[in-house]
Amino acid sequence: MKWYQWQSIEDFDLWHNALCLQLGYPITPVNQSTGLPDDNAQKVVRYCDARLVDGVYIAQVEDIYADGLTMIDYIPALPK
Amino acid sequence: MILGILASQISGHLTATSPVAGYKLWLDGADTSKITLSGSAVTQWTDKSANAYTFTQGTSTYRPTSGLNTQNGKNILDFDYNRNLQSTAAASTWNFLHNGTEHTIFFAVDSNTNGDMNLMNTNQATTQEKGFYIWQGNPNYISHVVTNGTSGNPSVANNTANYSLTLNFTYVTIIGKPSNATAANRSDVRFKQGSAVKNNTATTAVSTANCAQSLMIGDYLQGAGVGWTGKIGEIIIYDSALSSADILTNQQYLAAKWNV
């Protein structure tokens, strides 16, 4: 995964909503032991979250979903 | 408790096949019936105590993985610096970890690197917040910290020294007594069945207010990126200080189960 940036949260949401639709979210997970779907367990509902750093919204995205995104060339400072 | 004892004798000792009764939380990576996946990524890890707390992650890029690695032939969860699972219970459920209630924590883990990383957390890892956290510090120590919302004045800050969990799957016991009048007795950390490490000197009173967030496993804040990087096999938490005999029983249980 690499870091990418968006100029506004609306821009991020537009991209993220389209990706979630493409990925078929929400996805019902399966029990690891039985392999059967578990409707009561937490579903996969989002792909990633954006964080505001230095005036832009950034998020990590896998290469296969990053077409057309603007990559940032630094690792953002993380809080401790 | 008797029911939890294996009826076989190994080197003269009875080895428990489950933790001593009374646990408030028991997350067992080896029990895959309590884990749900999307692909190999974990969306939920369910507690085996009667409370059946659920720890969840609904965002794809923050999920730990399961089913990819083992320890002693048993399934473990892999965490990678920004992966986490958070309790869906109210934050107040976990107040006993910081509000002065005595408690005992066992965990069986390793780390992949000697960097700073959070194992579990209720205070978002800021000293201005209320809660607790367990942290691996760089290069090789474990911190058990209880914060009371006063910046720079924790109620407990027990930093062990010179014990590496890096590529060293092991189990750790922490006995917390955050309101104990003797500072050193507020936190007792033991690696395997080793001697107690009691380095706390903090004496600040605890806060009884709610912790900043519900218990998070593997990081201190969603997307913080200073999370656990390594394996987590098992976490057991009691809202009491166990007796020496019960602590030893659980340590032997973990040692046998994970072969460490």
Side-chain angles (χ1 to χ4, degrees), chain B residues 47-94:
Chain B
D47 157 39
K48 294 174 72 173
S49 81
N51 299 307
Y53 294 124
T54 53
F55 288 73
T56 66
Q57 181 53 263
T59 299
S60 180
T61 54
Y62 294 149
R63 297 169 300 171
T65 57
S66 181
L68 301 180
N69 288 298
T70 61
Q71 170 68 29
N72 193 31
K74 295 178 169 59
N75 185 69
I76 54 87
L77 278 68
D78 286 293
F79 286 72
D80 178 13
Y81 97 97
N82 64 354
R83 318 281 173 164
N84 70 81
L85 296 164
Q86 188 166 26
S87 167
T88 57
S92 59
T93 305
W94 309 104

Side-chain angles (χ1 to χ4, degrees), chain A residues 16-80:
Chain A
H16 186 257
N17 290 344
L19 179 61
C20 289
L21 193 65
Q22 174 191 333
L23 295 173
Y25 291 0
I27 297 173
T28 299
V30 299
N31 183 283
Q32 186 177 349
S33 178
T34 65
L36 298 174
D38 184 346
D39 288 326
N40 296 317
Q42 171 69 50
K43 294 178 169 58
V44 185
V45 293
R46 294 183 61 77
Y47 176 74
C48 64
D49 292 327
R51 187 165 72 232
L52 183 61
V53 175
D54 297 334
V56 297
Y57 289 85
I58 65 171
Q60 285 185 296
V61 180
E62 293 163 286
D63 293 346
I64 56 172
Y65 303 126
D67 279 353
L69 298 181
T70 303
M71 189 164 60
I72 57 177
D73 58 2
Y74 62 96
I75 299 173
L78 296 166
K80 280 192 174 181

Side-chain angles (χ1 to χ4, degrees), chain B residues 169-249:
Chain B
F169 194 95
T170 194
Y171 58 92
V172 179
T173 307
I174 296 178
I175 302 114
K177 300 179 179 180
S179 287
N180 194 286
T182 303
N185 291 337
R186 291 188 172 196
S187 175
D188 171 339
V189 179
R190 304 174 190 185
F191 297 97
K192 296 187 181 179
Q193 293 167 40
S195 57
V197 179
K198 301 167 76 167
N199 291 337
N200 176 61
T201 58
T203 56
T204 306
V206 300
S207 170
T208 56
N210 287 345
C211 48
Q213 65 176 3
S214 197
L215 181 60
M216 179 176 281
I217 306 295
D219 210 341
Y220 69 81
L221 194 65
Q222 184 88 308
V226 194
W228 197 255
T229 300
K231 300 173 183 172
I232 297 180
E234 191 157 0
I235 297 171
I236 310 161
I237 300 178
Y238 297 80
D239 57 359
S240 63
L242 294 190
S243 68
S244 296
D246 284 346
I247 288 170
L248 181 60
T249 297

